[in-house]
Amino acid sequence: MRLVRWTPDDLLRRLDDVVAVYGEAMGYRADLLEARRGYIATHVRRPGFRAVASLTSEGHLAGFGYGYVGGPGQWWHDQVWRALDQDRRKRWLTDCFEVVELHVRPPAQGHGLGAGQLRALLTMAEGATTLLSTPEADESTSRAWRLYRRFGFVDVLRDFRFPGDERPFGVLGRDLPLPAPTPPARPGQP
């Protein structure tokens, strides 16, 4: 498995694979996937766009993630902006990199691909903060929630409902940049 940085054109060339992974990971109906295809194609042209992909040795897509700098006039940004008070808008949305999608095919989950993708994406991200949304779940059993908590994401909104999706979502955030990874201890050192 290898983790690679993708340009907008790389992602567009693999759009069918991206939509398939997205559908598998999220369990969305086929009609919703067609709508996502169009959104993803426009997202690649947003300011600060960054993307990563996990590829098998045969070049198959096992996972991907992307995001961009959020701002007024963007649907997700505007939904979250309306739900926050003025202080939290300033804190979270003034200079924010939005993690828009981060997915791993279910059979490939549990092997660190999501963590590698998230670390790489946030290392490349522009902005003072980062936000993402994820369906509400039991934090003790949800791989996604455990991953975000390990990366220091905190609650910004809970049980939030986006128009067009009946499920409640958590909106989570953290400051950027990520701290540098701690090097492993050498043998004989604490």
Side-chain angles (χ1 to χ4, degrees):
M1 197 69 63
R2 62 190 167 98
L3 181 65
V4 297
R5 181 177 179 167
W6 266 0
T7 67
D9 289 338
D10 293 330
L11 191 145
L12 290 174
R13 270 192 293 279
R14 301 288 300 264
L15 190 55
D16 289 342
D17 295 332
V18 164
V19 171
V21 170
Y22 175 80
E24 285 180 46
M26 294 296 285
Y28 280 142
R29 300 183 321 262
D31 60 324
L32 289 174
L33 294 180
E34 277 310 305
R36 292 305 300 172
R37 176 185 303 280
Y39 298 142
I40 292 168
T42 62
H43 289 169
V44 300
R45 303 296 176 218
R46 296 255 169 102
F49 179 84
R50 301 289 185 268
V52 296
S54 294
L55 302 173
T56 67
S57 57
E58 297 83 25
H60 299 291
L61 184 64
F64 74 95
Y66 75 83
Y68 47 74
V69 176
Q74 297 171 357
W75 183 85
W76 190 92
H77 174 277
D78 291 349
Q79 298 299 315
V80 172
W81 186 88
R82 282 194 275 287
L84 296 176
D85 63 35
Q86 185 174 353
D87 288 341
R88 291 190 306 155
R89 287 175 185 157
K90 184 177 180 182
R91 160 86 173 97
W92 291 109
L93 294 172
T94 299
D95 185 18
C96 178
F97 180 83
E98 295 174 12
V99 176
V100 180
E101 304 295 349
L102 184 74
H103 302 290
V104 174
R105 286 188 190 275
Q109 292 175 2
H111 303 286
L113 297 181
Q117 290 173 178
L118 184 58
R119 178 168 300 285
L121 197 57
L122 295 182
T123 300
M124 297 184 299
E126 298 175 14
T129 62
T130 184
L131 289 174
L132 58 82
S133 57
T134 190
E136 289 283 358
D138 180 348
E139 292 187 35
S140 66
T141 60
S142 167
R143 285 185 172 137
W145 277 87
R146 290 193 320 258
L147 171 66
Y148 302 139
R149 294 302 194 205
R150 275 196 321 271
F151 272 77
F153 280 85
V154 299
D155 295 346
V156 175
L157 291 169
R158 292 300 298 264
D159 295 311
F160 183 72
R161 307 248 179 201
F162 288 100
D165 197 321
E166 65 279 354
R167 297 176 301 168
F169 282 77
V171 176
L172 307 177
R174 66 155 289 133
D175 291 322
L176 290 176
L178 286 180
T182 305
R186 289 181 289 183
Q189 290 186 332

